[in-house]
Amino acid sequence: LSKRGGRPVSQLFRLFDRRVRRKADPRDVYEGLRSLGIAATLGDAQGLVKAIARGKELRCSDLAVFLDDPDFASLEAAVCAGAASRLLPPPPVTSYAQCEPISHAIQQLRDLFGDSFVTRRAFADGLRQLQLDRVAPDVVQRLTTAYDLNGDGRVHARAFVKTITKSQAWKRAAKARKRILEVAREAEEVYDQVDEEGYWPIGLDEELVEACRGLGLRCLTDTHALWVARRALQSELPPNWVRSHAKDGRPFFHDLVSNTSTWDRPFAPEFVNLARDAATRRRRRRLVEDDDEALVVEDDSEEEEVDVERISRPKS
């Protein structure tokens, strides 16, 4: 196929699109390969379609990427990561109620690129508004070629939006965003309970709730991991951080290197990682279906408290 004699991809694709459907199934691909003098079997054609096509049938854009842009997958991953970082940034844990839902980010993509076929210029304008044209020097040309499904100069914006929202980078950003919102929501629930009922839930206080915020722990759900927050509060501040007090006596923390201050207590990255690991290490009950009988299996393994003495020495 690479020795196509200088013929454009659109002309080459017509050999496969014999029924003029703007797409080719494995049988069409098999007949096209035979017309090119390529000794291929129907199984070879099926394997080719499965390897290079986005869907169940081959499109002109699939053939163009396969022949002319072998590194397109890495470019597409970088574009998806850029879109996720710009449209799904981590929200501040102190204002979860003001955070837009993930559906709002998806709607932003549709507003930028449209929901059907668009011109190449309109598609390029959407990339520039998201600053995705800076991912690589020729990113606009390569993306418009890849999503010009029919080779007629129109870009399938819906397929591009779907690729972004189904990417691993988007899913990771959405999961992290959801976790941060859950942390902030449960902290607000605790404060609401204190305001309404006048007492703190068992085992919690303001300092511990704020530590859970900083470590990414849900103070009501991740009760099995609160020991990490208690250990973190007993530890020393990270290097270059000092504690001070405002005029009203409220403590704040200052970074001597960046010369910035914050009301939130900083924690060493080791404690943040330890909190994340501890939050996922819990006893689970699984429901196993076997011969229409429900068997409840309980994991009896005890949770381990990781020795954090090597991480930070408690205050004397």
Side-chain angles (χ1 to χ4, degrees), residues 207 210 214 232-238 243 253 262-268 315:
E207 189 178 30
E210 291 304 316
L233 287 172
Q234 295 173 2
S235 68
E236 296 179 349
L237 294 173
R243 182 195 300 265
F253 303 89
T262 177
W263 297 111
D264 301 323
R265 187 197 193 285
F267 297 102
K315 295 179 181 178

Side-chain angles (χ1 to χ4, degrees), residues 3 41 47 82 113 212 227 258 295:
K3 301 176 182 178
T41 65
F113 296 102
C212 288
W227 64 270
S258 63
L295 301 177

